[in-house]
């Protein structure tokens, strides 16, 4: 069955520290999609990035970077020089053919950045 | 462009009352999803529509829950009668497609409706 594991429940860092959020997924399908969403204290879910299973290129967007490794079934998210505004719950999600349309979400990692 | 719009943002009701949550998807998106977020179960899919037709409602918890999509720009999720265990945040999301060109299957979420049933 599909599964997304975010082993880190909570992480606390001080501003300007780098932080990596881990995501490990399980799927039997060869075609699947991985996502990261951010849920700030205001509650909305904000889409950050999408990756398909055939694209293992890492991606960098400003202070955000993502490392996708099929060999370890991981899709980790790094924030460089964290800021207070990065404080949020971050969700990793999986979509594959078995799940159909559903996004299978991890439990989320709560990131707290203090000044 | 407007994102997914949900109303109300907050709803407090008493057990046994009918609750109706509303959603307007992003214009041009063919797929609409309803999710529920609770502390115990996290984020879970309730139902989704394709071109206004319900495709998979296997996540709907009970017959007390029903969803409709009368047109491409409007969907409702109704709970009748409501119970305290229905208290949660209900999200609506939409996407262009299920599988397609890059990015079409990305689901964009509304701000959610925070429901409290007393």
């Amino acid at each position: 069955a599909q599964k997304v594991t975010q082993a880190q429940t909570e992480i606390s860092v001080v501003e300007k520290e780098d932080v990596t959020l881990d995501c490990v997924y399980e799927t039997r399908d060869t075609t699947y999609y991985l996502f990261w969403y951010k849920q700030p204290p205001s509650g909305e879910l904000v889409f950050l990035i999408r990756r398909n299973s055939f694209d293992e290129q890492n991606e960098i967007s400003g202070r955000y970077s993502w490392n996708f490794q099929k060999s370890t079934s991981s899709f980790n998210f790094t924030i460089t020089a964290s800021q207070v505004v990065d404080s949020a719950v971050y969700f990793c999600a999986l979509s594959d053919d078995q799940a159909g349309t559903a996004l299978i979400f991890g439990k989320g990692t709560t990131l707290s950045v203090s000044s | 462009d407007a994102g997914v719009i949900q109303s109300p943002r907050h709803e407090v009701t008493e057990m046994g009352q009918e609750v109706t949550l509303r959603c307007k998807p992003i214009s041009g998106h063919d797929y609409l999803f309803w999710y529920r977020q609770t502390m115990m179960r996290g984020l879970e899919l309730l139902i989704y529509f394709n071109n206004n037709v319900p495709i998979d409602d296997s996540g709907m918890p009970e017959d007390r829950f029903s969803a409709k999509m009368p047109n491409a720009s409007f969907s409702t999720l109704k709970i009748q009668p409501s119970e305290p265990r229905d208290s949660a945040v209900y999200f609506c999301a939409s996407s262009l497609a299920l599988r397609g060109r890059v990015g079409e299957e990305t689901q964009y979420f509304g701000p959610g409706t925070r429901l409290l049933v007393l």
Side-chain angles (χ1 to χ4, degrees), chain A residues 33 37 39 50 96 101 103, chain B residues 37 48 98-99 105 107:
Chain A
Y33 301 83
Y37 286 86
Q39 188 173 39
R50 163 202 177 276
D96 62 12
T101 59
L103 284 174
Chain B
Q37 183 179 31
Y48 82 92
L98 282 183
R99 298 282 187 267
E105 74 293 316
Q107 296 182 24

Side-chain angles (χ1 to χ4, degrees), chain A residues 29 31-33 35 37 39 41-47 49-50 52 89 91 95-107, chain B residues 9 31 33 35 37 39-45 48 56 89 91 98-112 114:
Chain A
D29 289 343
T31 301
Y32 52 89
Y33 301 83
F35 303 82
Y37 286 86
Q39 188 173 39
S42 50
E44 70 271 26
L45 277 165
V46 179
F47 165 72
I49 191 171
R50 163 202 177 276
N52 72 49
V89 182
F91 291 94
S95 173
D96 62 12
D97 289 339
Q98 198 172 357
T101 59
L103 284 174
I104 308 298
F105 284 90
K107 295 295 186 187
Chain B
R9 294 293 308 275
Y31 289 83
F33 307 83
Y35 287 85
Q37 183 179 31
M39 289 295 292
M40 291 295 294
R41 299 174 67 90
L43 278 154
E44 52 183 353
L45 178 72
Y48 82 92
D56 182 359
V89 181
F91 286 101
L98 282 183
R99 298 282 187 267
R101 291 184 293 274
V102 173
E104 285 188 349
E105 74 293 316
T106 298
Q107 296 182 24
Y108 294 92
F109 285 76
R114 188 173 297 272

Side-chain angles (χ1 to χ4, degrees), chain A residues 4 10 18 27 30 34 37 45 48 52 73 98 101:
Chain A
V4 175
E10 295 183 16
D18 298 347
T27 176
T30 55
L34 296 165
Y37 286 86
L45 277 165
L48 294 178
N52 72 49
S73 297
Q98 198 172 357
T101 59

Side-chain angles (χ1 to χ4, degrees), chain B residues 85-99:
Chain B
R85 59 192 167 123
D86 301 330
S87 298
V89 181
Y90 291 82
F91 286 101
C92 178
S94 70
S95 69
L96 276 168
L98 282 183
R99 298 282 187 267

